[in-house]
Amino acid sequence: MANELKLLEFSPQEVPKSGSDDREELPVLLIEDNPGDVRLVEYLLATSDMFHCRIVNKTSLQEGLAALSQTDFPVVLLDLTLPDSSGFGTLQKLITAFPETNVIVLTGLADKALGLKTVKAGAQDFLMKGGFDADLLAKTLRYSIDRKSVLQRLTESQRAREVAEESARLKEQFIAGVSHEMRTPMNAIYGMSHLLALTPLNEEQKGYIHSIRQSSEVLLGVINDILEFSTLQNGKIEFTHETFDLTELLYNVVNVMQYKRDEKDILFALHMDEGVPQKVKGDKLRLNQILYNIVGNAIKFTDEGFIKIHVELAEETETEALLHFSVEDSGVGIPADKIDGVFDAFTRVHSKDRLFEGAGLGLAIVKNLVAQQGGSIGAKSELGVGTTVFFELRFSKAPPDVLEVETEAPVAAQDALRSFSMLLVEDHKINQLVARKTLERHFPNIILTVANHGKEALEVLKTTLFDIILMDIQMPVMDGNETTAFIRRHMPEVKAPILAMTAHAYISRNEVFKTYGFDDYVLKPFEPEQFFTKIHYYLDLPVR
């Protein structure tokens, strides 16, 4: 008892501190009306490694609540017996007023059951008066303070994540909107230039049309790259795992890029090593996209010489093959100090004679597509000599003689003799004209009806049935999604396939368009042959 009285006689100013510390003092709120207990807590803190804590003492619950309203204390030491509140209700009042506060309850030696009850009710911990020393007090406070800090960081991290997700959503929405606004007039420009090219023209006029179409393709490429890059950044790419013929894919790449290389005098070579499997399992679409981007890039920067595609087997197991792809060109090359940045977004090649078109996103997209499939990519180049872009991807080996063949759309041999009815729902007058002229030129016997928006289309469908419906999505009065959903739910007599026409490139993601009742989609601006192929596929009408 004498020792205890001696401890109570110490003043905080008289207690020696074990060394100096530059840490900022942490305020600890002690709601306690017994001066002796207050002095004891102060002494124990001063002699522990928590001496950087500063006790702020309040002698009633109301004073404590008032202090909490002004200061965010990392921890509160709460006596349950106070002049204005007593028992378990004291904790309940404090937690109700400040639910995020860390509370350590001080109880008497005989109140262990009460202490456990307070922890179940939301207290961080409890200490029994006379039953704790400097080490236990310090440990309890340290744990409580660290817990509050961790919870605060988690909360801040959650807020930051939510802000980032919302920001990404708004960015995607904005880019999709911009894409739509750009694609809609591009559909008119591209479609009109195609129609004009089919009319009698002199050589000068043909040159002008060729330039318009080339410029349109460049602009569309920029739009597509921006959309693709945004999708990759948001991590919304889903990769498939299907069996496909690798040899066929590579020859298709060469054939598709034929028209571009024919504009220049370039030798195009493809070589596959003997060990490369003909059939593999992986994402065929993304491999196509990677190769198109790299080869297209090589053609852009090569005016004469060659472009070589080489595929070799880097390593293999019984079930997998690691393939090494390289695309070599004899183009302008890249300076040594720029080679590390070729895969960065918005990086463009400049020369004193010429500025190459594009947004500088092609190789950035390629790098993302390769990386997200667990592959690696790199480049080597010599200025004025050429560039080689190479990447490695791992594929599963396909079982022998197993190939999932895609169903090809049936193509009619004599479209001029076909007769069918179509409802075109489109609000943009120029796009109406482009679609009408394009369809009537290819299908002279088409019976075409035009509606300016969804509500008008529903009125037409009440009296007339059609073989096929082309439905724009973004329209006034009643949009395409709402109109198609209404048709599928309330007009069972309409069995015609409905194809969405849209400038929104995101329509294909997860096939969301099918939830509204669409059978397929046509992306604006459409390539006429792709457009006709979809019509052939869904109609397959007999030749009359």
Side-chain angles (χ1 to χ4, degrees):
M1 185 66 178
N3 288 338
E4 185 178 346
L5 290 175
K6 184 176 181 181
L7 287 177
L8 295 177
E9 290 171 358
F10 265 102
S11 168
Q13 289 80 12
E14 298 170 346
V15 178
K17 295 189 176 182
S18 55
S20 60
D21 197 299
D22 295 331
R23 287 177 290 182
E24 181 182 355
E25 285 190 328
L26 292 176
V28 174
L29 179 60
L30 173 61
I31 306 178
E32 171 63 75
D33 64 326
N34 187 325
D37 289 336
V38 174
R39 296 284 298 280
L40 178 60
V41 170
E42 289 176 335
Y43 174 77
L44 293 177
L45 281 181
T47 56
S48 72
D49 61 359
M50 297 293 288
F51 59 83
H52 61 287
C53 290
R54 172 175 56 88
I55 293 294
V56 177
N57 178 225
K58 299 298 177 183
T59 59
S60 69
L61 180 60
Q62 290 305 314
E63 288 181 2
L65 295 177
L68 281 169
S69 66
Q70 296 177 358
T71 305
D72 182 21
F73 290 93
V75 65
V76 177
L77 293 169
L78 175 66
D79 182 25
L80 295 183
T81 304
L82 298 169
D84 56 349
S85 182
S86 181
F88 184 72
T90 305
L91 173 66
Q92 289 181 312
K93 293 174 185 176
L94 190 146
I95 289 179
T96 300
F98 299 96
E100 302 300 323
T101 299
N102 279 352
V103 182
I104 299 174
V105 170
L106 300 176
T107 68
L109 285 172
D111 292 329
K112 183 176 181 179
L114 178 60
L116 292 173
K117 182 180 178 182
T118 62
V119 171
K120 291 180 181 179
Q124 175 64 36
D125 206 341
F126 72 95
L127 293 170
M128 293 183 289
K129 293 181 181 180
F132 62 88
D133 57 13
D135 288 341
L136 181 56
L137 176 61
K139 186 185 297 183
T140 304
L141 286 174
R142 190 185 308 111
Y143 176 77
S144 185
I145 292 170
D146 288 347
R147 175 181 177 273
K148 183 176 179 66
S149 177
V150 169
L151 290 176
Q152 186 173 357
R153 288 198 298 271
L154 286 173
T155 301
E156 291 171 354
S157 174
Q158 177 65 24
R159 286 183 193 139
R161 184 163 55 250
E162 290 173 354
V163 170
E165 289 173 352
E166 178 64 10
S167 175
R169 187 189 68 80
L170 291 174
K171 182 176 73 172
E172 182 174 322
Q173 191 176 58
F174 171 76
I175 291 175
V178 170
S179 164
H180 181 275
E181 294 304 318
M182 294 178 73
R183 281 176 175 273
T184 297
M186 278 303 303
N187 185 57
I189 296 170
Y190 197 77
M192 285 292 190
S193 65
H194 174 77
L195 292 171
L196 189 56
L198 298 176
T199 64
L201 300 170
N202 60 38
E203 290 304 312
E204 183 179 9
Q205 290 168 332
K206 288 179 181 178
Y208 294 154
I209 294 300
H210 180 70
S211 297
I212 290 172
R213 289 178 66 83
Q214 274 197 323
S215 299
S216 299
E217 288 176 3
V218 170
L219 182 54
L220 280 172
V222 171
I223 295 170
N224 291 336
D225 281 352
I226 291 172
L227 287 167
E228 185 70 19
F229 187 69
S230 174
T231 303
L232 284 164
Q233 279 192 317
N234 295 336
K236 295 189 175 179
I237 290 290
E238 294 183 1
F239 295 95
T240 62
H241 197 67
E242 61 180 355
T243 301
F244 65 92
D245 190 315
L246 179 61
T247 305
E248 181 184 356
L249 180 147
L250 290 166
Y251 277 106
N252 280 341
V253 170
V254 174
N255 291 333
V256 169
M257 306 305 283
Q258 176 81 31
Y259 79 98
K260 285 193 174 183
R261 66 185 174 94
D262 283 350
E263 295 172 354
K264 305 175 180 181
D265 188 17
I266 303 174
L267 172 67
F268 211 140
L270 170 63
H271 178 77
M272 294 178 66
D273 283 0
E274 288 187 3
V276 176
Q278 180 184 353
K279 299 172 185 178
V280 294
K281 294 189 75 171
D283 197 314
K284 176 182 178 181
L285 174 64
R286 298 306 173 187
L287 179 58
N288 255 313
Q289 190 176 0
I290 291 166
L291 289 169
Y292 285 151
N293 267 295
I294 297 176
V295 174
N297 214 54
I299 293 173
K300 184 196 306 184
F301 297 115
T302 305
D303 292 328
E304 59 182 13
F306 64 85
I307 294 173
K308 299 177 182 178
I309 302 176
H310 194 109
V311 187
E312 58 184 307
L313 183 65
E315 62 180 54
E316 69 175 331
T317 65
E318 290 185 2
T319 58
E320 292 185 326
L322 179 66
L323 300 183
H324 181 91
F325 298 82
S326 63
V327 178
E328 180 187 1
D329 66 61
S330 59
V332 297
I334 303 167
D337 61 337
K338 304 291 184 184
I339 192 70
D340 291 338
V342 294
F343 296 105
D344 294 341
F346 304 107
T347 298
R348 303 177 68 193
V349 172
H350 298 265
S351 73
K352 61 180 181 180
D353 303 318
R354 160 181 183 191
L355 175 64
F356 295 92
E357 74 275 355
L361 288 173
L363 291 183
I365 290 170
V366 166
K367 180 181 179 181
N368 268 285
L369 288 172
V370 171
Q372 290 193 33
Q373 295 181 85
S376 60
I377 190 167
K380 57 184 179 181
S381 183
E382 184 177 345
L383 192 62
V385 176
T387 302
T388 300
V389 177
F390 51 87
F391 65 95
E392 288 187 343
L393 282 176
R394 194 173 297 276
F395 295 89
S396 298
K397 292 182 178 179
D401 302 319
V402 174
L403 184 62
E404 298 164 10
V405 181
E406 294 183 0
T407 304
E408 294 185 0
V411 179
Q414 303 180 46
D415 285 339
L417 301 179
R418 281 178 168 250
S419 176
F420 62 92
S421 59
M422 174 185 289
L423 175 61
L424 172 65
V425 191
E426 166 69 73
D427 67 300
H428 197 281
K429 296 298 182 183
I430 297 180
N431 284 338
Q432 287 180 4
L433 178 62
V434 169
R436 178 186 289 278
K437 292 295 184 181
T438 302
L439 288 164
E440 289 178 347
R441 180 174 287 273
H442 194 77
F443 302 102
N445 292 329
I446 187 175
I447 304 167
L448 186 64
T449 302
V450 178
N452 293 296
H453 49 73
K455 190 172 182 181
E456 192 173 305
L458 294 179
E459 292 299 319
V460 173
L461 287 169
K462 287 179 181 178
T463 58
T464 309
L465 296 179
F466 296 87
D467 294 312
I468 190 169
I469 300 171
L470 294 181
M471 181 80 67
D472 188 29
I473 287 184
Q474 189 166 316
M475 297 182 292
V477 185
M478 192 173 187
D479 68 30
N481 289 336
E482 185 181 0
T483 305
T484 301
F486 184 91
I487 292 170
R488 294 310 190 201
R489 291 172 187 165
H490 305 291
M491 304 180 77
E493 68 278 10
V494 179
K495 302 187 184 301
I498 304 178
L499 276 60
M501 286 199 311
T502 179
H504 280 296
Y506 291 126
I507 187 171
S508 63
R509 183 181 299 161
N510 300 326
E511 297 191 328
V512 176
F513 64 93
K514 290 186 177 180
T515 63
Y516 295 99
F518 289 107
D519 295 273
D520 209 332
Y521 68 92
V522 176
L523 191 62
K524 298 178 184 176
F526 52 80
E527 281 283 352
E529 291 305 319
Q530 294 176 354
F531 187 30
F532 301 148
T533 298
K534 295 238 176 177
I535 294 173
H536 287 311
Y537 179 79
Y538 284 99
L539 290 183
D540 193 23
L541 296 174
V543 177
R544 295 181 182 177

